[in-house]
Amino acid sequence: MSSDLHVAASSTSEAVADPNAALANSAGQAPLRAVVVGAGGMGRWWARVIASSPVTELVGVADLVEGMPAESIAQSGVEDPSAVAIGTDGVDLALEVGADILINPTVPVAHHPVTVKALHAGIPVLGEKPVTETLPEALSLMAHAELTGVPFMVSQSRRFFPQVRELRRFVAEHGPTVLTSAFFSLFHEHTGFRAEQQHPLLRDMGIHAFDTARYITGTDPVAVTAHGANPAWSVYAGDATVTCTFEMTGGSLFVYNGTWNPRGLPTYWNSEWRIGAEHGSATWDGTGVPVLGTEDEDRTRDLQRAIEQALDTPEPDQIDASIIEFVTSLREGRTPMCEVHENILSFAMVEAAVASIDRGSRVVIDELLEEARGQAIAAETDADAREILQGWGSVREAIERR
Ligand SMILES: NC(=O)c1ccc[n+]([C@@H]2O[C@H](COP(=O)([O-])OP(=O)(O)OC[C@H]3O[C@@H](n4cnc5c(N)ncnc54)[C@H](O)[C@@H]3O)[C@@H](O)[C@H]2O)c1
């Protein structure tokens, strides 16, 4: 495979996000007024980030549960908690206070209704992963984003580690990849929605590694074969142990092993990585500086020195960087990284792996996307959005057109 083919095969953003450069360029500009919808664990983290980021101001917090918004605001670090508005309906609240943007870290089942309402109200949305609870809902959101023309980005926090950006850079110069693996193993007994969810490990954690793999390798998924396990000691109703082999565009493979079940020898939340490409390989323990290797000792030494230097300067990461990307894209009038069209294939990897386990067979991503489109058309209540869903030549074509 030529490296030209390798680049053409990818639907992930070409831009290499540099939050420090974006911050320097935005100095002096007024922060965007943000409402955070959802005041659970992630909503509270978002409230702290929105309150402290130089590009945003926290003007409202909404949650269905009484008392939660006030608690979230109290821990957010804002100077005057009484100046931050409170509500139950996040979009109504955003309209009331004249917010510029809405952050949506509600539970996955609420992602579709909250985001559809915000987009139709003309409010740009930065939503938490996974984009929605189901693949048909995700395609519906893609159609609503096209219909309204209002920006919708999905925050994939783990893509925003500087090591990930540097690994993408390494692969761009030494690819194409042939075999990439991510191994996640961390004993963790979640409570809340994850404990009862079907396939919680894939839906909650797999999505991070899948999105990261697409970004690093510059390839997209074609098909997957997956297996799950649920040992007797697991606290989860669904499989919290999985292994998946993805066939990617250009003929390369991406293997994911993930589990919350074993005790001892934990990996970091980012997984442990090995990336094998035509002109070099890289390993990353998920927290430190990646280790790079080529067949040339001098070149390897230079590359290692360069990546150490690149990672030496502190910079915002995870959702601190994600919000900078979103705000910067709005100010520049460009499509943000992780815009819903780009994100769909990361979520499709999750749902295809789920389908592979449930059906006990290999699942072709495009076939699953078209099945989901049929279901999305049948469920869509908005006639204009339905027409958009029906009008796509194929889901893949609609994704790549963006
Ligand atoms: N990026 C990451 O690293 C990361 C980490 C954890 C969670 N998440 C994601 O963040 C989201 C939230 O996860 P969590 O752990 O905070 O869940 P959570 O259950 O702790 O909190 C969700 C909150 O949303 C509220 N809510 C539900 N529907 C609502 C609606 N329509 N309007 C307003 N509020 C509503 C609930 O009352 C609850 O307080 C999930 O999509 C999850 O996958 C991402």
Side-chain angles (χ1 to χ4, degrees), residues 4 19 24 80 162 201 283 369 387:
D4 281 347
D80 179 7
L201 192 278
T283 59
L369 286 170
E387 202 175 311

Side-chain angles (χ1 to χ4, degrees), residues 44-344:
R44 290 176 192 212
W45 183 10
W46 270 110
R48 295 195 297 277
V49 166
I50 294 296
S52 65
S53 175
V55 298
T56 50
E57 179 189 350
L58 183 65
V59 294
V61 175
D63 199 290
L64 297 179
V65 180
E66 206 186 322
M68 296 277 280
E71 284 177 24
S72 179
I73 294 164
Q75 59 86 59
S76 71
V78 286
E79 261 178 42
D80 179 7
S82 67
V84 182
I86 281 173
T88 47
D89 184 304
V91 180
D92 290 349
L93 181 68
L95 289 171
E96 206 177 293
V97 299
D100 300 306
I101 56 174
L102 184 144
I103 315 295
N104 185 5
T106 55
V107 287
V109 287
H111 289 181
H112 183 271
V114 171
T115 296
V116 166
K117 185 170 175 181
L119 296 180
H120 283 270
I123 306 169
V125 177
L126 178 53
E128 257 304 332
K129 51 58 61 176
V131 53
T132 45
E133 175 78 353
T134 70
L135 197 50
E137 283 176 349
L139 298 181
S140 166
L141 272 192
M142 189 168 123
H144 281 277
E146 289 187 13
L147 175 63
T148 58
V150 177
F152 171 37
M153 168 177 164
V154 181
S155 183
Q156 291 286 166
S157 59
R158 293 182 186 279
R159 180 190 280 218
F160 290 92
F161 278 89
Q163 294 97 325
V164 170
R165 180 190 63 218
E166 295 306 318
L167 285 168
R168 176 176 166 87
R169 202 192 301 275
F170 175 76
V171 168
E173 290 165 3
H174 297 84
T177 54
V178 60
L179 181 59
T180 299
S181 73
F183 205 122
F184 173 79
S185 180
L186 187 60
F187 177 70
H188 204 78
E189 295 187 328
H190 276 294
T191 53
F193 70 86
R194 296 168 184 89
E196 297 308 319
Q197 203 175 22
Q198 288 303 302
H199 302 285
L201 192 278
L202 274 172
R203 291 195 159 121
D204 203 60
M205 284 313 297
I207 181 85
H208 284 298
F210 301 168
D211 183 72
T212 302
R214 287 179 60 218
Y215 186 60
I216 289 176
T217 64
T219 63
D220 282 333
V222 175
V224 63
T225 307
H227 300 278
N230 197 13
W233 73 85
S234 177
V235 297
Y236 297 95
D239 293 345
T241 292
V242 296
T243 176
C244 318
T245 301
F246 288 95
E247 298 158 52
M248 306 296 282
T249 45
S252 63
L253 297 174
F254 166 58
V255 179
Y256 176 73
N257 295 301
T259 178
W260 274 323
N261 294 135
R263 293 179 170 87
L265 291 182
T267 64
Y268 289 97
W269 284 93
N270 276 331
S271 303
E272 285 173 359
W273 290 78
R274 175 174 275 273
I275 299 142
E278 183 174 7
H279 301 290
S281 292
T283 59
W284 182 39
D285 66 2
T287 186
V289 178
V291 176
L292 309 178
T294 68
E295 293 294 287
D296 182 316
E297 267 184 37
D298 291 341
R299 176 153 179 74
T300 297
R301 198 174 44 248
D302 291 348
L303 284 164
Q304 197 61 43
R305 198 175 297 137
I307 196 170
E308 278 161 18
Q309 274 170 4
L311 295 173
D312 205 29
T313 310
E315 64 178 66
D317 62 17
Q318 301 193 76
I319 64 174
D320 290 275
S322 174
I323 187 64
I324 291 170
E325 166 62 8
F326 187 52
V327 169
T328 309
S329 73
L330 292 174
R331 286 176 172 156
E332 293 175 354
R334 65 170 167 81
T335 304
M337 218 171 47
C338 304
E339 192 268 343
V340 60
H341 288 73
E342 181 186 331
N343 186 255
I344 292 283

Side-chain angles (χ1 to χ4, degrees), residues 358-400:
D358 289 349
R359 298 174 190 176
S361 62
R362 175 177 177 267
V363 170
V364 175
I365 302 281
D366 282 352
E367 289 174 7
L368 191 76
L369 286 170
E370 295 308 322
E371 274 173 40
R373 177 159 67 136
Q375 292 162 13
I377 290 167
E380 186 58 64
T381 53
D382 182 307
D384 295 329
R386 191 162 55 243
E387 202 175 311
I388 288 176
L389 284 160
Q390 284 165 331
W392 294 336
S394 70
V395 176
R396 181 83 64 158
E397 178 267 330
I399 290 169
E400 287 172 356

